[in-house]
Amino acid sequence: VVLAGDMLIDFDLRDLIRKHLERQALGTLLLLDDPVRKRQFGSIGLSSSGRVRRIANRLDLEQESSSGLFVGLRVFSPTLFEALPPDSGAGSFEDLTDWIGPILSRPDSPVYGEMLTPAELQWVPIGTPEEYLAANLDPPAAPYLSTTPLAAPGAKTQSCSPPHSEL
């Protein structure tokens, strides 16, 4: 599982991995069904079977039936790394274009997108100082995270909430 670091995300990861394994996919990209934000952040196009057919405006293999906002999470099978093209030495690298793009060009490429609704996937970008501050002042709900505090056995914990006068 590869996760971009500029977001908060909460969803059922076990279900995504199960679907990835059932499809015997090389890669699975997590998408959010969000028509407004996909225009801002870019989208991934899918065929009716869920295979990736388009990566933003950089690669278009046509036969697209739906599209979603790519939220920066991907599941890669170990065999994906064997299918990667050799290093071009160009100096810049972007995994979707440089790794996944050439794989998608192969017939019946087993790279899929999994589209979730906002009810199934909580995604909050925190890539700018304003987004980061907003997410800290009003944290999103995280229904898939455990509500049980996790600490080492015997660890002493205490509340870290600042007094209201400091807010």
Side-chain angles (χ1 to χ4, degrees), residues 76-163:
F76 291 151
S77 292
T79 53
L80 173 89
F81 297 97
E82 297 166 8
L84 296 178
D87 180 18
S88 66
S92 65
F93 170 80
E94 198 275 323
D95 68 332
L96 295 182
T97 303
D98 297 330
W99 280 2
I100 303 300
I103 293 170
L104 290 175
S105 301
R106 301 174 189 165
D108 295 323
S109 168
V111 177
Y112 292 86
E114 184 64 29
M115 183 93 68
L116 299 181
T117 67
E120 299 167 304
L121 170 62
Q122 181 68 246
W123 178 77
V124 178
I126 58 169
T128 67
E130 295 80 14
E131 292 168 339
Y132 186 78
L133 179 61
N136 278 277
L137 293 176
D138 185 20
Y144 288 99
L145 291 179
S146 173
T147 58
T148 304
L150 302 176
K156 295 181 182 183
T157 61
Q158 62 185 16
S159 173
C160 295
S161 300

Side-chain angles (χ1 to χ4, degrees), residues 7-71:
M7 71 182 132
L8 300 176
I9 192 166
D10 187 49
F11 71 104
D12 189 347
L13 179 61
R14 290 173 295 203
D15 190 52
L16 180 67
I17 292 172
R18 181 186 55 77
K19 289 176 182 177
H20 173 82
L21 294 172
E22 285 174 357
R23 291 175 173 154
Q24 298 180 347
L26 283 179
T28 301
L29 309 178
L30 183 60
L31 309 177
L32 177 61
D33 185 12
D34 187 333
V36 174
R37 290 197 291 182
K38 78 178 180 184
R39 282 187 233 115
Q40 176 186 359
F41 290 96
S43 65
I44 301 290
L46 303 177
S47 70
S48 59
S49 66
R51 291 180 191 267
V52 173
R53 301 302 300 163
R54 182 179 53 77
I55 299 174
N57 60 359
R58 298 186 301 261
L59 174 70
D60 190 347
L61 300 171
E62 302 178 344
Q63 301 172 345
E64 177 180 324
S65 66
S66 64
S67 66
L69 168 69
F70 176 55
V71 298

